[in-house]
Amino acid sequence: MSTNNTKKLAGKVAVVTGASKGIGAAIAEHLAAEGASVVVNYASSKAGAEKIVSGINARGGKAIAVQADVARKADIERLFAETKKAFGQLDVLVNNAGIYEFLPLEQITAEHFHKQFDLNVLGLILATQEAIKQFASLSSVINISSVVSTSPAPGGSVYSATKAAVDAVTKSLAKELGARKIRVNSINPGMIETDGFRASGFAESDLRKQVEAQTPLGRIGQPQDVATVATFLASADSGWITGETFHVSGGFR
Ligand code: NAP
């Protein structure tokens, strides 16, 4: 961690969607540790979000929790209005909120499709649309994609498709927003030990064992493995990087 004088995100404001737990919570904590004021968004886990906020504030950082369902346009608009009211500016958006549901082809329904696409893709686009209204030059968008965008697992066709879409959106928006000096990159994590991961039953699964066996670094990831890369992409250290997809996966392909 940097000292007060050298904090890489001092004076910056970041919104992290889906930051009440898991990868988003770790990203919010790391950005705050580097001096950013952070908006910790959540959908329903108020207590989880408040715990992350009070931890950040107790360590001398600045954070607020804002409830908003990122699959709903009106909620997204309110999230960014509350950000403006609290901090008056915006420099970093981390589009992390996402859901992953796995079903064999025979069981896929329109509901399964829309639930994941409405949050993972449409919500990400609408959040970015709102963010750029407030962005100053030299701002950064970080989209949390997944290794499944390029290495899909069986039963994950819809989820994998949402993340392939995220990669395409990342590259398209990087070209579209480059002239405004807004950078857009994605992080494509491998399997990460989070609440969602445990709730989906992956902790003791054969899939976990297969992934570990195929991972050169021999383990699945922790949320902080992703958070350190997000902090780099939020900061000026990555100032000449845009339109990239960073596989953070211990070498898993
Ligand atoms: P997680 O532990 O399930 O946490 C999900 C977070 O997203 C929670 O804070 C949750 O808030 C929030 N969220 C869910 N629906 C939302 C909505 N409609 N609006 C706003 N926030 C919402 O998930 P995770 O494992 O950390 O995954 C986070 C991201 O990383 C996702 O985009 C996921 O696809 C991606 N990813 C995960 C892995 C992995 O192995 N874990 C690997 C690659 C990529 P509430 O609790 O309030 O609902």
Side-chain angles (χ1 to χ4, degrees), residues 4-13 31 34-37 89:
N4 272 345
N5 294 335
T6 59
K7 284 188 173 175
K8 292 180 188 298
L9 298 173
K12 304 287 186 190
V13 176
L31 297 181
E34 280 299 342
S37 301
Q89 68 180 76

Side-chain angles (χ1 to χ4, degrees), residues 46-187:
K46 187 168 196 267
E50 285 175 349
K51 194 172 155 212
I52 299 304
V53 165
S54 46
I56 289 171
N57 291 333
R59 290 187 291 274
K62 262 194 222 161
I64 59 166
V66 177
Q67 189 283 331
D69 179 346
V70 175
R72 295 167 57 98
K73 186 172 164 57
D75 280 25
I76 294 170
E77 288 168 357
R78 183 172 46 73
L79 167 64
F80 287 92
E82 289 190 26
T83 300
K84 191 171 190 177
K85 200 170 145 201
F87 296 121
Q89 68 180 76
L90 184 60
D91 308 278
V92 177
L93 168 63
V94 184
N95 281 310
N96 166 79
I99 40 175
Y100 33 95
E101 289 185 358
F102 291 78
L103 281 179
L105 176 61
E106 294 79 0
Q107 292 174 28
I108 290 173
T109 59
E111 192 197 358
H112 171 80
F113 178 92
H114 289 297
K115 190 175 167 195
Q116 295 185 83
F117 265 89
D118 282 357
L119 177 62
N120 298 7
V121 185
L122 182 57
L124 174 147
I125 290 171
L126 294 178
T128 309
Q129 195 180 64
E130 282 305 309
I132 64 165
K133 294 179 187 168
Q134 292 185 46
F135 269 169
S137 194
L138 303 179
S139 295
S140 175
V141 178
I142 300 155
N143 295 326
I144 305 302
S145 179
S146 169
V147 292
V148 303
S149 69
T150 50
S151 304
S157 53
V158 173
Y159 174 60
S160 303
T162 68
K163 295 303 188 179
V166 168
D167 289 359
V169 169
T170 298
K171 289 174 191 298
S172 179
L173 289 182
K175 291 180 181 170
E176 192 173 327
L177 301 175
R180 293 171 60 177
K181 307 287 177 263
I182 297 169
R183 299 183 297 109
V184 187
N185 293 289
S186 78
I187 300 175

Side-chain angles (χ1 to χ4, degrees), residues 192-211:
I192 308 289
E193 200 163 5
T194 63
D195 297 285
F197 161 90
R198 282 184 285 272
S200 304
F202 290 129
E204 309 300 330
S205 65
D206 287 344
L207 184 62
R208 177 194 180 141
K209 289 180 194 132
Q210 284 164 22
V211 168

Side-chain angles (χ1 to χ4, degrees), residues 19 21-31 52 222-225 227-228 231:
K21 56 172 96 130
I23 293 170
I27 292 174
E29 289 171 342
H30 277 66
L31 297 181
I52 299 304
Q222 295 299 317
Q224 56 267 29
D225 291 318
T228 50
T231 304

